[in-house]
Amino acid sequence: VKVGPLSVSPMGFGTWAWGNQFLWGYQESMDSELQECFNLALKNGINLFDTADSYGTGKLNGQSERLLGKFIREFEGPMKSPDDVIIATKFAAYPWRLTSGQFVSACKSSLERLKLDRLGIGQLHWSTANYAPLQERALWDGLVEMYEKGLVRAVGVSNYGPKQLLKIHNYLASRGVPLSSAQVQFSLLSMGDEQTELKTVCDSLGIRLIAYSPLGLGMLTGKYTTSNLPNGPRSVLFRQILPGLESLLLCLKSIAERKGKTMSQVSINWCICKGTIPIPGVKTVRHVEDNLGALGWRLSPAEVSELEAAAMESPKKMIQNIFQTA
């Protein structure tokens, strides 16, 4: 699949959990299994790994990038160059990042943690249009500088709505920089009018949509029920949404059984059928093995419609990221 100048696998893996103790219960004892996850993914043709400079809580800030860099260096297998692995990292629009130079410094810090000379995709993590519009132009200029200095092979954004996406696309184009990707929450639980409009805008401009949370934080795996909730903050959200998901989960289960697949695989495959690149998060080898089963086959158009009709019946959808703009 093409993302600007890059050739990437039709699915990537997200690494939000790598270093996040608060939401995902990360412990450093998990590192050896995370290396196995990385190795298994790479050996099976997955070459896109999404991270961010804000991933990792407290003293582990930046841990996701550090681990990815370490895993690339310690990978035991054929790799012609580090460019074979497409690292897409997101730079946080922190309030103290007020100049393009500070944003370029953020990129250099990420490269230092990753021990890489350049990134696959450098992404602006969110737009400041809703609360600090003057800051945004400096961040856009920072993306231009990263690209011009050869620190990133492609430029992308995250949590941008259709209107703001059009603005940054036009601005970057005026500076001679193509906008290659737009990352947004996109799943059977997150396919409202705005996400649909965003996908249409992406298609018209040649921007690849990268779908994060394709499993709705785990709600679409079939693993959880109202009497079996995950630990931590996710349980609050699950308690609100799961009771209304009966028809969607039944539909997923039925199609999964027909196809000899799991509910997760069907959910991810739906994202692929919609022309997006899903990036489910992985913490265990079992997650990687299961997610790999989403590749190499396609839902029929009738099955895609069936799933969407069931999804529309859900009374509550996923809460959109608070940073997503119009």
Side-chain angles (χ1 to χ4, degrees):
V1 173
K2 295 301 282 184
V3 178
L6 309 171
S7 291
V8 310
S9 43
M11 172 179 72
F13 284 139
T15 63
W16 181 19
W18 301 10
N20 188 305
Q21 291 171 314
F22 174 66
L23 198 63
W24 299 107
Y26 167 79
Q27 301 295 331
E28 289 181 53
S29 57
M30 296 175 175
D31 290 357
S32 60
E33 183 163 16
L34 291 177
Q35 172 88 60
E36 283 181 59
C37 289
F38 178 84
N39 295 352
L40 183 62
L42 215 53
K43 284 172 182 168
N44 281 279
I46 302 294
N47 72 340
L48 175 66
F49 295 87
D50 182 78
T51 183
D53 65 359
S54 61
Y55 286 176
T57 41
K59 66 177 178 23
L60 294 170
N61 199 34
Q63 181 75 345
S64 175
E65 290 180 332
R66 277 190 290 273
L67 286 174
L68 268 172
K70 176 176 179 282
F71 297 162
I72 292 171
R73 293 191 301 278
E74 295 181 5
F75 175 67
E76 292 176 358
M79 194 193 297
K80 290 188 285 295
S81 85
D83 276 354
D84 290 351
V85 182
I86 309 294
I87 301 294
T89 204
K90 298 181 289 295
F91 309 111
Y94 291 135
W96 55 86
R97 289 178 174 167
L98 293 168
T99 67
S100 58
Q102 286 170 318
F103 218 46
V104 171
S105 294
C107 180
K108 288 177 177 172
S109 296
S110 285
L111 287 169
E112 174 56 33
R113 284 189 290 274
L114 286 155
K115 299 285 186 280
L116 292 175
D117 295 327
R118 61 179 180 166
L119 288 164
I121 313 173
Q123 306 164 97
L124 174 50
H125 204 153
W126 64 84
S127 164
T128 63
N130 290 345
Y131 62 92
L134 294 177
Q135 184 187 2
E136 184 138 47
R137 178 60 64 87
L139 301 180
W140 292 1
D141 286 338
L143 288 174
V144 171
E145 278 187 50
M146 290 173 202
Y147 185 78
E148 288 176 344
K149 290 175 186 289
L151 301 175
V152 301
R153 295 165 71 193
V155 163
V157 292
S158 179
N159 298 311
Y160 267 62
K163 293 185 181 66
Q164 205 61 15
L165 185 69
L166 200 54
K167 283 183 191 170
I168 186 171
H169 169 272
N170 292 343
Y171 180 74
L172 292 177
S174 76
R175 300 288 306 275
V177 178
L179 182 61
S180 296
S181 65
Q183 186 178 142
V184 70
Q185 184 178 183
F186 191 90
S187 73
L188 282 161
L189 282 183
S190 187
M191 46 170 270
D193 293 344
E194 197 166 86
Q195 309 307 75
T196 307
E197 188 189 341
L198 184 70
K199 179 68 175 66
T200 305
V201 171
C202 284
D203 291 347
S204 70
L205 298 173
I207 298 168
R208 180 66 67 173
L209 196 146
I210 297 174
Y212 74 75
S213 287
L215 298 174
L217 297 178
M219 266 184 271
L220 297 175
T221 62
K223 182 177 163 185
Y224 300 105
T225 63
T226 45
S227 55
N228 175 34
L229 295 165
N231 297 326
R234 281 189 298 163
S235 62
V236 179
L237 187 65
F238 280 40
R239 197 173 281 117
Q240 291 170 10
I241 298 175
L242 270 175
L245 289 189
E246 202 171 319
S247 65
L248 175 56
L249 294 176
L250 279 172
C251 183
L252 272 171
K253 190 165 189 274
S254 160
I255 291 174
E257 285 170 354
R258 258 193 339 254
K259 294 273 189 198
K261 295 290 175 184
T262 66
M263 290 165 70
S264 299
Q265 290 163 358
V266 172
S267 301
I268 293 169
N269 194 273
W270 175 84
C271 290
I272 294 170
C273 289
K274 299 302 282 185
T276 74
I277 300 175
I279 49 167
V282 288
K283 280 198 304 183
T284 66
V285 168
R286 190 178 53 76
H287 286 157
V288 177
E289 289 168 345
D290 188 33
N291 292 341
L292 285 170
L295 299 175
W297 59 280
R298 284 272 172 146
L299 290 162
S300 70
E303 287 164 335
V304 168
S305 299
E306 198 183 327
L307 284 166
E308 289 171 13
M312 296 306 275
E313 288 177 35
S314 310
K316 288 190 174 173
K317 304 287 186 283
M318 278 292 283
I319 296 164
Q320 286 310 318
N321 193 304
I322 55 165
F323 287 115
Q324 187 171 326
T325 56

